[in-house]
Amino acid sequence: MAFAHSPFDSEVQNGRVEGKGKYTFPDGHVYIGDFKDGQFHGEGTIHFTSGGKYEARWAAGLAVAGTYTFKDGLKYEMDGWDYCTESDRRFYSERVNGFRPGEPQLSNDPAGPPTIPVGTYDVGDGFYDPKDGVVHAYEGGDSVRVPEEQEKEWIVT
């Protein structure tokens, strides 16, 4: 059973989300996994709209242990992190696939960085246009979000 007009798509027992299910956050990120007494509990993964994911073991809504994996497959490691260091500036795709002959790779995406309009700033989840103060999607230019003033200042400096 799912709640009517709810971000949950899950089993419900005694008015609480229980068992396997799905929760969609207001920003579009999605948790798929176990619930107990209305909270993330057990094994579950948050899938981020950017393409990354956080796979974790949850207890009463808190992540007890987990692993973040970036969109390109790179797993984040708290200890011994050796990606993008002073001694090795290669992109992850170059570490996995080697260097391609020809033009240099300018982003971690072997297809190249997204094309953004002149006068805007690439912020990772879209491009920021200082004219309207909004982050837009790379494809289509739809509004993605409005950054807070502190982030706007950081983007343009």
Side-chain angles (χ1 to χ4, degrees):
M1 171 183 155
F3 291 106
H5 305 291
S6 167
F8 291 97
D9 182 7
S10 309
E11 293 294 317
V12 177
Q13 294 177 4
N14 299 321
R16 300 268 190 168
V17 177
E18 289 285 333
K20 301 276 184 208
K22 175 180 170 182
Y23 172 77
T24 302
F25 292 88
D27 58 9
H29 305 317
V30 176
Y31 170 85
I32 299 172
D34 299 325
F35 290 88
K36 181 178 180 186
D37 198 25
Q39 297 181 331
F40 302 169
H41 190 86
E43 301 297 317
T45 302
I46 297 176
H47 299 269
F48 296 95
T49 56
S50 63
K53 64 182 178 178
Y54 184 64
E55 299 171 278
R57 188 173 70 249
W58 303 84
L62 300 174
V64 178
T67 303
Y68 182 80
T69 305
F70 294 91
K71 177 181 178 179
D72 61 9
L74 173 67
K75 289 190 185 294
Y76 176 74
E77 298 175 19
M78 294 262 314
D79 299 318
W81 181 254
D82 69 346
Y83 174 66
C84 210
T85 63
E86 269 186 40
S87 62
D88 186 353
R89 301 296 294 170
R90 293 177 294 164
F91 290 109
Y92 181 66
S93 60
E94 291 174 322
R95 291 175 71 171
V96 172
N97 304 314
F99 288 107
R100 294 182 318 180
E103 296 203 13
Q105 188 169 323
L106 300 176
S107 78
N108 198 39
D109 184 346
T115 302
I116 63 172
V118 173
T120 63
Y121 300 84
D122 185 352
V123 294
D125 61 341
F127 62 88
Y128 173 72
D129 189 340
K131 291 178 187 164
D132 63 8
V134 174
V135 174
H136 298 273
Y138 293 120
E139 298 297 324
D142 295 334
S143 175
V144 174
R145 63 185 175 85
V146 177
E148 293 185 17
E149 291 304 315
Q150 186 177 7
E151 183 183 6
K152 289 179 183 179
E153 185 179 319
W154 176 84
I155 292 168
V156 299
T157 51

